[in-house]
Short mmCIF file of all heavy atoms in Angstrom, two decimals:
data_model
loop_
_atom_site.label_atom_id
_atom_site.label_comp_id
_atom_site.label_asym_id
_atom_site.label_seq_id
_atom_site.Cartn_x
_atom_site.Cartn_y
_atom_site.Cartn_z
N MET A 1 6.75 -8.16 60.37
CA MET A 1 5.46 -7.55 60.65
C MET A 1 4.49 -8.63 61.11
O MET A 1 4.43 -9.69 60.53
CB MET A 1 4.92 -6.86 59.41
CG MET A 1 5.72 -5.66 59.01
SD MET A 1 4.93 -4.74 57.70
CE MET A 1 6.17 -3.50 57.49
N SER A 2 3.77 -8.34 62.13
CA SER A 2 2.86 -9.32 62.70
C SER A 2 1.45 -9.11 62.17
O SER A 2 1.17 -8.17 61.44
CB SER A 2 2.88 -9.21 64.22
OG SER A 2 2.43 -7.94 64.62
N VAL A 3 0.56 -10.00 62.57
CA VAL A 3 -0.83 -9.95 62.11
C VAL A 3 -1.47 -8.61 62.46
O VAL A 3 -2.22 -8.06 61.67
CB VAL A 3 -1.64 -11.13 62.70
CG1 VAL A 3 -3.10 -11.00 62.36
CG2 VAL A 3 -1.08 -12.44 62.19
N GLN A 4 -1.15 -8.05 63.64
CA GLN A 4 -1.77 -6.79 64.02
C GLN A 4 -1.28 -5.63 63.15
O GLN A 4 -1.85 -4.56 63.18
CB GLN A 4 -1.58 -6.48 65.50
CG GLN A 4 -0.15 -6.28 65.93
CD GLN A 4 0.47 -7.53 66.50
OE1 GLN A 4 0.07 -8.64 66.16
NE2 GLN A 4 1.46 -7.38 67.35
N ASP A 5 -0.23 -5.84 62.36
CA ASP A 5 0.28 -4.80 61.48
C ASP A 5 -0.44 -4.75 60.13
O ASP A 5 -0.06 -4.00 59.26
CB ASP A 5 1.78 -5.01 61.23
CG ASP A 5 2.60 -4.76 62.47
OD1 ASP A 5 2.16 -4.01 63.35
OD2 ASP A 5 3.70 -5.34 62.56
N ARG A 6 -1.45 -5.55 59.97
CA ARG A 6 -2.19 -5.62 58.71
C ARG A 6 -3.13 -4.43 58.58
O ARG A 6 -4.35 -4.57 58.63
CB ARG A 6 -2.97 -6.92 58.59
CG ARG A 6 -2.09 -8.11 58.43
CD ARG A 6 -2.89 -9.41 58.50
NE ARG A 6 -2.01 -10.54 58.37
CZ ARG A 6 -1.89 -11.24 57.25
NH1 ARG A 6 -2.60 -10.95 56.20
NH2 ARG A 6 -1.06 -12.25 57.20
N THR A 7 -2.54 -3.26 58.39
CA THR A 7 -3.32 -2.03 58.26
C THR A 7 -3.00 -1.38 56.93
O THR A 7 -1.99 -1.70 56.29
CB THR A 7 -2.97 -1.04 59.39
OG1 THR A 7 -1.59 -0.66 59.24
CG2 THR A 7 -3.20 -1.65 60.77
N GLN A 8 -3.85 -0.47 56.53
CA GLN A 8 -3.59 0.28 55.31
C GLN A 8 -2.26 1.04 55.42
O GLN A 8 -1.49 1.10 54.48
CB GLN A 8 -4.73 1.25 55.01
CG GLN A 8 -4.62 1.95 53.67
CD GLN A 8 -4.69 0.99 52.49
OE1 GLN A 8 -5.40 0.00 52.51
NE2 GLN A 8 -3.92 1.28 51.45
N ALA A 9 -1.98 1.55 56.60
CA ALA A 9 -0.72 2.29 56.79
C ALA A 9 0.49 1.38 56.59
O ALA A 9 1.48 1.81 55.97
CB ALA A 9 -0.69 2.92 58.18
N SER A 10 0.43 0.14 57.07
CA SER A 10 1.57 -0.76 56.90
C SER A 10 1.72 -1.17 55.43
O SER A 10 2.83 -1.29 54.93
CB SER A 10 1.49 -1.98 57.81
OG SER A 10 0.38 -2.78 57.51
N VAL A 11 0.60 -1.35 54.73
CA VAL A 11 0.64 -1.66 53.30
C VAL A 11 1.30 -0.49 52.56
O VAL A 11 2.19 -0.69 51.72
CB VAL A 11 -0.78 -1.93 52.75
CG1 VAL A 11 -0.79 -1.92 51.23
CG2 VAL A 11 -1.30 -3.26 53.28
N GLU A 12 0.88 0.73 52.87
CA GLU A 12 1.43 1.89 52.19
C GLU A 12 2.92 2.06 52.49
O GLU A 12 3.70 2.39 51.59
CB GLU A 12 0.65 3.15 52.59
CG GLU A 12 -0.76 3.12 52.02
CD GLU A 12 -1.62 4.30 52.43
OE1 GLU A 12 -1.07 5.31 52.94
OE2 GLU A 12 -2.84 4.23 52.22
N GLN A 13 3.35 1.76 53.71
CA GLN A 13 4.76 1.86 54.06
C GLN A 13 5.58 0.83 53.28
O GLN A 13 6.65 1.15 52.77
CB GLN A 13 4.93 1.65 55.57
CG GLN A 13 6.35 1.82 56.08
CD GLN A 13 7.17 0.55 56.02
OE1 GLN A 13 6.66 -0.55 56.25
NE2 GLN A 13 8.43 0.68 55.69
N MET A 14 5.06 -0.39 53.15
CA MET A 14 5.77 -1.41 52.38
C MET A 14 5.89 -1.01 50.92
O MET A 14 6.95 -1.15 50.30
CB MET A 14 5.08 -2.77 52.51
CG MET A 14 5.28 -3.43 53.85
SD MET A 14 4.71 -5.15 53.93
CE MET A 14 2.94 -4.95 53.79
N ILE A 15 4.80 -0.50 50.34
CA ILE A 15 4.82 -0.07 48.93
C ILE A 15 5.83 1.05 48.75
O ILE A 15 6.62 1.05 47.79
CB ILE A 15 3.41 0.36 48.47
CG1 ILE A 15 2.44 -0.83 48.48
CG2 ILE A 15 3.47 1.03 47.09
CD1 ILE A 15 2.81 -1.95 47.52
N ASP A 16 5.84 2.02 49.65
CA ASP A 16 6.80 3.13 49.55
C ASP A 16 8.24 2.61 49.62
O ASP A 16 9.11 3.08 48.87
CB ASP A 16 6.55 4.17 50.64
CG ASP A 16 5.28 4.98 50.39
OD1 ASP A 16 4.81 5.01 49.24
OD2 ASP A 16 4.76 5.56 51.36
N THR A 17 8.49 1.66 50.49
CA THR A 17 9.83 1.08 50.60
C THR A 17 10.21 0.35 49.32
O THR A 17 11.33 0.49 48.82
CB THR A 17 9.92 0.12 51.81
OG1 THR A 17 9.65 0.85 53.00
CG2 THR A 17 11.29 -0.54 51.90
N ILE A 18 9.29 -0.41 48.77
CA ILE A 18 9.53 -1.13 47.51
C ILE A 18 9.86 -0.13 46.41
O ILE A 18 10.84 -0.30 45.67
CB ILE A 18 8.32 -2.01 47.13
CG1 ILE A 18 8.19 -3.18 48.11
CG2 ILE A 18 8.46 -2.50 45.68
CD1 ILE A 18 6.87 -3.94 47.99
N LYS A 19 9.07 0.93 46.29
CA LYS A 19 9.32 1.93 45.25
C LYS A 19 10.69 2.57 45.43
O LYS A 19 11.42 2.75 44.46
CB LYS A 19 8.23 3.00 45.27
CG LYS A 19 6.88 2.50 44.81
CD LYS A 19 5.85 3.59 44.62
CE LYS A 19 5.72 4.55 45.76
NZ LYS A 19 4.62 5.50 45.58
N ASP A 20 11.05 2.89 46.66
CA ASP A 20 12.35 3.51 46.93
C ASP A 20 13.49 2.56 46.57
O ASP A 20 14.47 2.95 45.94
CB ASP A 20 12.47 3.91 48.40
CG ASP A 20 11.61 5.10 48.76
OD1 ASP A 20 11.12 5.81 47.85
OD2 ASP A 20 11.40 5.31 49.97
N ARG A 21 13.39 1.30 47.00
CA ARG A 21 14.46 0.33 46.76
C ARG A 21 14.62 0.02 45.28
O ARG A 21 15.72 -0.23 44.81
CB ARG A 21 14.18 -0.97 47.52
CG ARG A 21 14.33 -0.91 49.01
CD ARG A 21 15.78 -0.75 49.49
NE ARG A 21 16.73 -1.63 48.83
CZ ARG A 21 17.10 -2.81 49.27
NH1 ARG A 21 16.59 -3.30 50.37
NH2 ARG A 21 17.98 -3.53 48.59
N LEU A 22 13.51 0.02 44.54
CA LEU A 22 13.59 -0.29 43.11
C LEU A 22 13.91 0.95 42.28
O LEU A 22 14.10 0.86 41.08
CB LEU A 22 12.27 -0.91 42.62
CG LEU A 22 11.92 -2.26 43.22
CD1 LEU A 22 10.60 -2.75 42.65
CD2 LEU A 22 13.01 -3.28 42.99
N LYS A 23 13.95 2.11 42.95
CA LYS A 23 14.22 3.38 42.26
C LYS A 23 13.34 3.53 41.04
O LYS A 23 13.80 3.80 39.93
CB LYS A 23 15.70 3.47 41.89
CG LYS A 23 16.60 3.48 43.10
CD LYS A 23 18.05 3.42 42.71
CE LYS A 23 19.00 3.43 43.88
NZ LYS A 23 18.83 2.42 44.88
N MET A 24 12.06 3.32 41.27
CA MET A 24 11.10 3.30 40.18
C MET A 24 10.94 4.68 39.54
O MET A 24 10.63 5.65 40.21
CB MET A 24 9.73 2.81 40.67
CG MET A 24 9.74 1.34 41.03
SD MET A 24 8.18 0.79 41.77
CE MET A 24 7.01 1.25 40.50
N ALA A 25 11.15 4.73 38.24
CA ALA A 25 10.98 5.98 37.51
C ALA A 25 9.52 6.42 37.51
O ALA A 25 9.22 7.60 37.44
CB ALA A 25 11.46 5.80 36.07
N THR A 26 8.62 5.47 37.63
CA THR A 26 7.19 5.78 37.61
C THR A 26 6.60 5.74 39.01
O THR A 26 5.39 5.59 39.16
CB THR A 26 6.44 4.77 36.72
OG1 THR A 26 6.67 3.46 37.23
CG2 THR A 26 6.89 4.86 35.27
N ALA A 27 7.42 5.91 40.02
CA ALA A 27 6.95 5.80 41.41
C ALA A 27 5.83 6.79 41.70
O ALA A 27 4.88 6.47 42.42
CB ALA A 27 8.11 6.01 42.38
N ALA A 28 5.90 7.98 41.15
CA ALA A 28 4.87 8.99 41.42
C ALA A 28 3.52 8.54 40.88
O ALA A 28 2.48 8.88 41.44
CB ALA A 28 5.27 10.32 40.81
N ALA A 29 3.53 7.77 39.81
CA ALA A 29 2.28 7.30 39.21
C ALA A 29 1.67 6.15 39.99
O ALA A 29 0.49 5.85 39.84
CB ALA A 29 2.52 6.87 37.77
N MET A 30 2.45 5.52 40.85
CA MET A 30 1.96 4.38 41.60
C MET A 30 1.82 4.79 43.07
O MET A 30 2.75 4.65 43.86
CB MET A 30 2.90 3.19 41.46
CG MET A 30 2.30 1.92 42.02
SD MET A 30 3.23 0.44 41.61
CE MET A 30 2.91 0.27 39.88
N GLN A 31 0.68 5.32 43.41
CA GLN A 31 0.42 5.78 44.77
C GLN A 31 0.26 4.59 45.71
O GLN A 31 -0.43 3.62 45.40
CB GLN A 31 -0.85 6.63 44.81
CG GLN A 31 -0.77 7.89 43.99
CD GLN A 31 0.28 8.84 44.53
OE1 GLN A 31 0.42 9.01 45.74
NE2 GLN A 31 1.03 9.46 43.65
N SER A 32 0.88 4.68 46.87
CA SER A 32 0.80 3.57 47.83
C SER A 32 -0.63 3.36 48.31
O SER A 32 -1.02 2.25 48.67
CB SER A 32 1.74 3.81 49.01
OG SER A 32 1.50 5.06 49.59
N SER A 33 -1.45 4.41 48.29
CA SER A 33 -2.85 4.28 48.71
C SER A 33 -3.68 3.49 47.71
O SER A 33 -4.83 3.14 47.99
CB SER A 33 -3.46 5.67 48.93
OG SER A 33 -3.41 6.42 47.73
N ALA A 34 -3.11 3.17 46.55
CA ALA A 34 -3.82 2.40 45.54
C ALA A 34 -3.78 0.90 45.82
O ALA A 34 -4.28 0.10 45.03
CB ALA A 34 -3.24 2.68 44.15
N PHE A 35 -3.20 0.51 46.96
CA PHE A 35 -3.09 -0.89 47.32
C PHE A 35 -3.94 -1.16 48.55
O PHE A 35 -4.02 -0.34 49.45
CB PHE A 35 -1.63 -1.26 47.58
CG PHE A 35 -0.78 -1.16 46.35
CD1 PHE A 35 -0.22 0.05 46.00
CD2 PHE A 35 -0.57 -2.25 45.54
CE1 PHE A 35 0.55 0.17 44.86
CE2 PHE A 35 0.18 -2.15 44.40
CZ PHE A 35 0.75 -0.93 44.05
N SER A 36 -4.57 -2.31 48.58
CA SER A 36 -5.53 -2.65 49.62
C SER A 36 -4.93 -3.60 50.66
O SER A 36 -4.06 -4.42 50.35
CB SER A 36 -6.73 -3.33 48.96
OG SER A 36 -7.58 -3.87 49.92
N VAL A 37 -5.46 -3.50 51.86
CA VAL A 37 -5.07 -4.42 52.94
C VAL A 37 -5.39 -5.86 52.55
O VAL A 37 -4.69 -6.79 52.98
CB VAL A 37 -5.78 -4.03 54.26
CG1 VAL A 37 -5.57 -5.07 55.33
CG2 VAL A 37 -5.30 -2.67 54.74
N GLU A 38 -6.38 -6.07 51.71
CA GLU A 38 -6.73 -7.42 51.28
C GLU A 38 -5.57 -8.09 50.53
O GLU A 38 -5.50 -9.31 50.45
CB GLU A 38 -7.98 -7.42 50.38
CG GLU A 38 -9.28 -7.18 51.12
CD GLU A 38 -9.56 -5.71 51.39
OE1 GLU A 38 -9.21 -4.86 50.54
OE2 GLU A 38 -10.10 -5.40 52.46
N GLN A 39 -4.66 -7.28 49.99
CA GLN A 39 -3.51 -7.81 49.26
C GLN A 39 -2.27 -7.91 50.15
O GLN A 39 -1.16 -8.08 49.67
CB GLN A 39 -3.20 -6.89 48.06
CG GLN A 39 -4.33 -6.77 47.08
CD GLN A 39 -4.62 -8.07 46.36
OE1 GLN A 39 -3.78 -8.94 46.27
NE2 GLN A 39 -5.82 -8.20 45.87
N TYR A 40 -2.46 -7.78 51.45
CA TYR A 40 -1.34 -7.69 52.40
C TYR A 40 -0.32 -8.81 52.21
O TYR A 40 0.89 -8.55 52.13
CB TYR A 40 -1.85 -7.71 53.85
CG TYR A 40 -0.74 -7.57 54.86
CD1 TYR A 40 -0.37 -6.33 55.32
CD2 TYR A 40 -0.04 -8.69 55.32
CE1 TYR A 40 0.68 -6.18 56.23
CE2 TYR A 40 1.00 -8.56 56.22
CZ TYR A 40 1.35 -7.31 56.67
OH TYR A 40 2.38 -7.17 57.54
N ASP A 41 -0.75 -10.05 52.15
CA ASP A 41 0.19 -11.17 52.07
C ASP A 41 1.04 -11.10 50.80
O ASP A 41 2.26 -11.34 50.85
CB ASP A 41 -0.55 -12.51 52.14
CG ASP A 41 -1.13 -12.77 53.52
OD1 ASP A 41 -0.56 -12.29 54.51
OD2 ASP A 41 -2.17 -13.46 53.60
N ASP A 42 0.42 -10.78 49.67
CA ASP A 42 1.17 -10.68 48.42
C ASP A 42 2.14 -9.51 48.46
O ASP A 42 3.29 -9.62 47.99
CB ASP A 42 0.21 -10.52 47.23
CG ASP A 42 -0.61 -11.77 46.99
OD1 ASP A 42 -0.11 -12.89 47.23
OD2 ASP A 42 -1.77 -11.64 46.55
N ILE A 43 1.71 -8.39 49.01
CA ILE A 43 2.58 -7.22 49.12
C ILE A 43 3.74 -7.52 50.07
O ILE A 43 4.88 -7.17 49.79
CB ILE A 43 1.78 -5.98 49.57
CG1 ILE A 43 0.79 -5.58 48.47
CG2 ILE A 43 2.70 -4.82 49.93
CD1 ILE A 43 -0.26 -4.58 48.90
N LYS A 44 3.45 -8.21 51.16
CA LYS A 44 4.50 -8.57 52.12
C LYS A 44 5.53 -9.48 51.47
O LYS A 44 6.73 -9.34 51.70
CB LYS A 44 3.86 -9.25 53.35
CG LYS A 44 4.86 -9.69 54.41
CD LYS A 44 5.46 -8.52 55.15
CE LYS A 44 6.18 -8.93 56.42
NZ LYS A 44 7.51 -9.45 56.24
N ASP A 45 5.08 -10.41 50.63
CA ASP A 45 6.01 -11.28 49.91
C ASP A 45 6.96 -10.46 49.03
O ASP A 45 8.17 -10.69 49.02
CB ASP A 45 5.27 -12.31 49.06
CG ASP A 45 4.57 -13.38 49.88
OD1 ASP A 45 4.91 -13.54 51.08
OD2 ASP A 45 3.68 -14.05 49.33
N LEU A 46 6.40 -9.50 48.28
CA LEU A 46 7.22 -8.64 47.43
C LEU A 46 8.18 -7.81 48.28
O LEU A 46 9.36 -7.67 47.96
CB LEU A 46 6.36 -7.70 46.59
CG LEU A 46 5.64 -8.31 45.41
CD1 LEU A 46 4.76 -7.26 44.74
CD2 LEU A 46 6.62 -8.88 44.42
N TYR A 47 7.67 -7.26 49.36
CA TYR A 47 8.47 -6.45 50.28
C TYR A 47 9.65 -7.25 50.80
O TYR A 47 10.80 -6.77 50.80
CB TYR A 47 7.58 -5.97 51.42
CG TYR A 47 8.29 -5.24 52.52
CD1 TYR A 47 8.59 -3.88 52.39
CD2 TYR A 47 8.64 -5.88 53.70
CE1 TYR A 47 9.24 -3.20 53.41
CE2 TYR A 47 9.28 -5.21 54.72
CZ TYR A 47 9.58 -3.86 54.57
OH TYR A 47 10.22 -3.19 55.58
N ASP A 48 9.41 -8.49 51.23
CA ASP A 48 10.47 -9.34 51.75
C ASP A 48 11.54 -9.60 50.69
O ASP A 48 12.75 -9.60 50.99
CB ASP A 48 9.91 -10.66 52.27
CG ASP A 48 9.11 -10.50 53.55
OD1 ASP A 48 9.26 -9.47 54.24
OD2 ASP A 48 8.32 -11.41 53.86
N ILE A 49 11.14 -9.80 49.46
CA ILE A 49 12.09 -10.01 48.37
C ILE A 49 12.94 -8.75 48.16
O ILE A 49 14.16 -8.81 48.07
CB ILE A 49 11.37 -10.38 47.06
CG1 ILE A 49 10.75 -11.77 47.17
CG2 ILE A 49 12.32 -10.29 45.86
CD1 ILE A 49 9.76 -12.11 46.07
N VAL A 50 12.27 -7.61 48.12
CA VAL A 50 12.96 -6.35 47.82
C VAL A 50 13.96 -5.98 48.92
O VAL A 50 15.07 -5.55 48.62
CB VAL A 50 11.93 -5.23 47.58
CG1 VAL A 50 12.58 -3.87 47.57
CG2 VAL A 50 11.18 -5.48 46.28
N ILE A 51 13.58 -6.17 50.17
CA ILE A 51 14.51 -5.77 51.23
C ILE A 51 15.63 -6.79 51.44
O ILE A 51 16.62 -6.47 52.08
CB ILE A 51 13.79 -5.47 52.57
CG1 ILE A 51 13.10 -6.71 53.13
CG2 ILE A 51 12.83 -4.31 52.42
CD1 ILE A 51 12.64 -6.53 54.56
N SER A 52 15.49 -7.98 50.88
CA SER A 52 16.50 -9.01 51.08
C SER A 52 17.67 -8.92 50.10
O SER A 52 18.69 -9.54 50.32
CB SER A 52 15.87 -10.40 50.99
OG SER A 52 15.51 -10.70 49.66
N LYS A 53 17.51 -8.15 49.02
CA LYS A 53 18.55 -8.09 48.00
C LYS A 53 19.16 -6.69 47.93
O LYS A 53 18.44 -5.70 47.99
CB LYS A 53 17.97 -8.44 46.63
CG LYS A 53 17.52 -9.89 46.53
CD LYS A 53 17.13 -10.23 45.13
CE LYS A 53 18.36 -10.23 44.27
NZ LYS A 53 18.16 -10.71 42.93
N PRO A 54 20.47 -6.60 47.76
CA PRO A 54 21.11 -5.28 47.67
C PRO A 54 20.90 -4.59 46.32
O PRO A 54 20.95 -3.38 46.23
CB PRO A 54 22.59 -5.59 47.91
CG PRO A 54 22.75 -7.01 47.50
CD PRO A 54 21.43 -7.69 47.80
N SER A 55 20.67 -5.37 45.27
CA SER A 55 20.46 -4.78 43.95
C SER A 55 19.64 -5.75 43.10
O SER A 55 19.47 -6.91 43.46
CB SER A 55 21.80 -4.49 43.27
OG SER A 55 22.50 -5.70 43.06
N PHE A 56 19.15 -5.23 41.97
CA PHE A 56 18.27 -6.00 41.10
C PHE A 56 18.67 -5.83 39.65
O PHE A 56 19.09 -4.74 39.25
CB PHE A 56 16.82 -5.54 41.26
CG PHE A 56 16.30 -5.70 42.65
CD1 PHE A 56 16.40 -4.68 43.57
CD2 PHE A 56 15.72 -6.88 43.05
CE1 PHE A 56 15.95 -4.82 44.86
CE2 PHE A 56 15.25 -7.04 44.34
CZ PHE A 56 15.37 -6.01 45.25
N SER A 57 18.50 -6.89 38.87
CA SER A 57 18.71 -6.78 37.43
C SER A 57 17.50 -6.06 36.83
O SER A 57 16.45 -5.93 37.48
CB SER A 57 18.85 -8.17 36.81
OG SER A 57 17.61 -8.85 36.86
N ILE A 58 17.65 -5.62 35.61
CA ILE A 58 16.54 -4.94 34.93
C ILE A 58 15.34 -5.87 34.83
O ILE A 58 14.20 -5.46 35.08
CB ILE A 58 16.98 -4.44 33.55
CG1 ILE A 58 18.00 -3.32 33.72
CG2 ILE A 58 15.78 -3.99 32.73
CD1 ILE A 58 18.66 -2.88 32.44
N SER A 59 15.57 -7.13 34.51
CA SER A 59 14.45 -8.06 34.37
C SER A 59 13.76 -8.31 35.72
O SER A 59 12.54 -8.49 35.78
CB SER A 59 14.89 -9.37 33.73
OG SER A 59 15.87 -10.01 34.51
N GLU A 60 14.54 -8.32 36.81
CA GLU A 60 13.94 -8.48 38.14
C GLU A 60 13.07 -7.28 38.48
O GLU A 60 11.97 -7.43 39.00
CB GLU A 60 15.02 -8.65 39.20
CG GLU A 60 15.71 -10.00 39.17
CD GLU A 60 16.89 -10.08 40.12
OE1 GLU A 60 17.64 -9.09 40.26
OE2 GLU A 60 17.05 -11.15 40.74
N VAL A 61 13.56 -6.08 38.20
CA VAL A 61 12.77 -4.87 38.46
C VAL A 61 11.49 -4.91 37.64
O VAL A 61 10.40 -4.63 38.17
CB VAL A 61 13.58 -3.59 38.15
CG1 VAL A 61 12.69 -2.35 38.20
CG2 VAL A 61 14.75 -3.45 39.12
N GLU A 62 11.59 -5.27 36.38
CA GLU A 62 10.40 -5.34 35.53
C GLU A 62 9.39 -6.34 36.08
O GLU A 62 8.19 -6.07 36.10
CB GLU A 62 10.79 -5.72 34.10
CG GLU A 62 11.49 -4.60 33.37
CD GLU A 62 12.02 -5.02 32.00
OE1 GLU A 62 12.01 -6.23 31.68
OE2 GLU A 62 12.45 -4.12 31.26
N ALA A 63 9.85 -7.49 36.54
CA ALA A 63 8.96 -8.50 37.09
C ALA A 63 8.28 -8.01 38.37
O ALA A 63 7.08 -8.20 38.56
CB ALA A 63 9.71 -9.80 37.35
N LEU A 64 9.06 -7.37 39.24
CA LEU A 64 8.49 -6.85 40.50
C LEU A 64 7.49 -5.73 40.24
O LEU A 64 6.42 -5.70 40.85
CB LEU A 64 9.62 -6.37 41.42
CG LEU A 64 10.49 -7.48 42.00
CD1 LEU A 64 11.79 -6.91 42.55
CD2 LEU A 64 9.75 -8.27 43.06
N VAL A 65 7.81 -4.84 39.32
CA VAL A 65 6.90 -3.75 38.99
C VAL A 65 5.63 -4.30 38.34
O VAL A 65 4.52 -3.84 38.63
CB VAL A 65 7.59 -2.71 38.07
CG1 VAL A 65 6.60 -1.70 37.52
CG2 VAL A 65 8.71 -2.01 38.83
N SER A 66 5.78 -5.31 37.52
CA SER A 66 4.61 -5.94 36.90
C SER A 66 3.70 -6.54 37.97
O SER A 66 2.47 -6.41 37.91
CB SER A 66 5.07 -7.02 35.92
OG SER A 66 3.98 -7.71 35.38
N GLU A 67 4.30 -7.19 38.94
CA GLU A 67 3.52 -7.79 40.03
C GLU A 67 2.83 -6.69 40.86
O GLU A 67 1.67 -6.84 41.26
CB GLU A 67 4.40 -8.66 40.91
CG GLU A 67 3.65 -9.44 41.96
CD GLU A 67 2.66 -10.44 41.41
OE1 GLU A 67 2.71 -10.80 40.24
OE2 GLU A 67 1.79 -10.88 42.21
N LEU A 68 3.51 -5.59 41.11
CA LEU A 68 2.88 -4.47 41.82
C LEU A 68 1.69 -3.96 41.03
O LEU A 68 0.63 -3.66 41.62
CB LEU A 68 3.88 -3.32 42.02
CG LEU A 68 4.84 -3.45 43.16
CD1 LEU A 68 5.83 -2.29 43.14
CD2 LEU A 68 4.11 -3.48 44.50
N GLY A 69 1.84 -3.85 39.74
CA GLY A 69 0.73 -3.39 38.90
C GLY A 69 -0.47 -4.33 38.98
O GLY A 69 -1.61 -3.89 38.98
N ARG A 70 -0.20 -5.61 39.07
CA ARG A 70 -1.28 -6.59 39.16
C ARG A 70 -2.02 -6.44 40.49
O ARG A 70 -3.25 -6.64 40.56
CB ARG A 70 -0.69 -8.00 39.04
CG ARG A 70 -1.74 -9.11 38.97
CD ARG A 70 -1.11 -10.48 38.99
NE ARG A 70 -0.49 -10.82 40.26
CZ ARG A 70 -1.17 -11.19 41.36
NH1 ARG A 70 -2.48 -11.22 41.35
NH2 ARG A 70 -0.54 -11.50 42.46
N LEU A 71 -1.30 -6.10 41.54
CA LEU A 71 -1.91 -6.00 42.87
C LEU A 71 -2.63 -4.67 43.10
O LEU A 71 -3.43 -4.57 44.03
CB LEU A 71 -0.82 -6.17 43.94
CG LEU A 71 -0.16 -7.53 43.99
CD1 LEU A 71 1.00 -7.51 44.97
CD2 LEU A 71 -1.17 -8.61 44.39
N ARG A 72 -2.34 -3.69 42.31
CA ARG A 72 -2.92 -2.36 42.51
C ARG A 72 -4.41 -2.37 42.26
O ARG A 72 -4.91 -3.03 41.37
CB ARG A 72 -2.24 -1.36 41.57
CG ARG A 72 -2.54 0.07 41.89
CD ARG A 72 -1.71 0.99 41.08
NE ARG A 72 -2.17 0.95 39.71
CZ ARG A 72 -1.61 1.60 38.73
NH1 ARG A 72 -0.54 2.31 38.93
NH2 ARG A 72 -2.09 1.52 37.51
N ARG A 73 -5.14 -1.62 43.10
CA ARG A 73 -6.60 -1.49 42.93
C ARG A 73 -6.87 -0.69 41.68
O ARG A 73 -6.17 0.27 41.36
CB ARG A 73 -7.22 -0.70 44.10
CG ARG A 73 -7.21 -1.41 45.40
CD ARG A 73 -8.00 -0.59 46.38
NE ARG A 73 -7.09 0.12 47.29
CZ ARG A 73 -7.43 0.55 48.48
NH1 ARG A 73 -8.64 0.41 48.92
NH2 ARG A 73 -6.56 1.18 49.24
N SER A 74 -7.92 -1.07 40.99
CA SER A 74 -8.29 -0.32 39.79
C SER A 74 -9.23 0.81 40.11
O SER A 74 -9.72 0.96 41.17
CB SER A 74 -8.91 -1.23 38.75
OG SER A 74 -9.90 -2.04 39.35
#
C-alpha cells in the first residue's frame, strides 16, 4: 500500500483482513471504523505481520488482539 492509500477505507480493509485471518471470536465487537487513519503505520505493521504468516499460536493471537485494542479509538 502506498502513501496515497492512507484512507479510512484502507485502514478498515486492513482491520477486516486482520480480524478474518486471526479468526477473532470477538470480531463483531471490534468494528473496523473504530480505527483512525492517524494509526495507519501501526495498523499496517500489524497487517503485514498477519498476512505474512499462515497460522498463529494462541499467544501470538492474544498479543496481536491486544495491540489492536490499544490502537482502537475510544
Side-chain angles (χ1 to χ4, degrees):
M1 293 188 182
S2 62
V3 173
Q4 63 264 27
D5 292 335
R6 290 172 182 258
T7 64
Q8 187 63 36
S10 64
V11 167
E12 291 177 14
Q13 184 272 324
M14 286 190 292
I15 295 297
D16 288 340
T17 299
I18 291 168
K19 290 189 311 186
D20 289 345
R21 289 290 314 268
L22 296 180
K23 297 174 179 56
M24 291 174 56
T26 59
M30 190 169 289
Q31 297 295 319
S32 54
S33 60
F35 295 85
S36 170
V37 171
E38 286 82 36
Q39 300 294 338
Y40 182 92
D41 291 330
D42 293 327
I43 293 168
K44 179 71 166 80
D45 289 343
L46 285 177
Y47 174 82
D48 289 341
I49 291 167
V50 168
I51 64 168
S52 71
K53 293 188 69 172
S55 63
F56 300 92
S57 69
I58 292 171
S59 61
E60 287 173 321
V61 171
E62 288 173 350
L64 290 163
V65 171
S66 176
E67 187 63 16
L68 279 175
R70 186 186 68 76
L71 295 173
R72 193 171 71 183
R73 290 187 257 203
S74 48

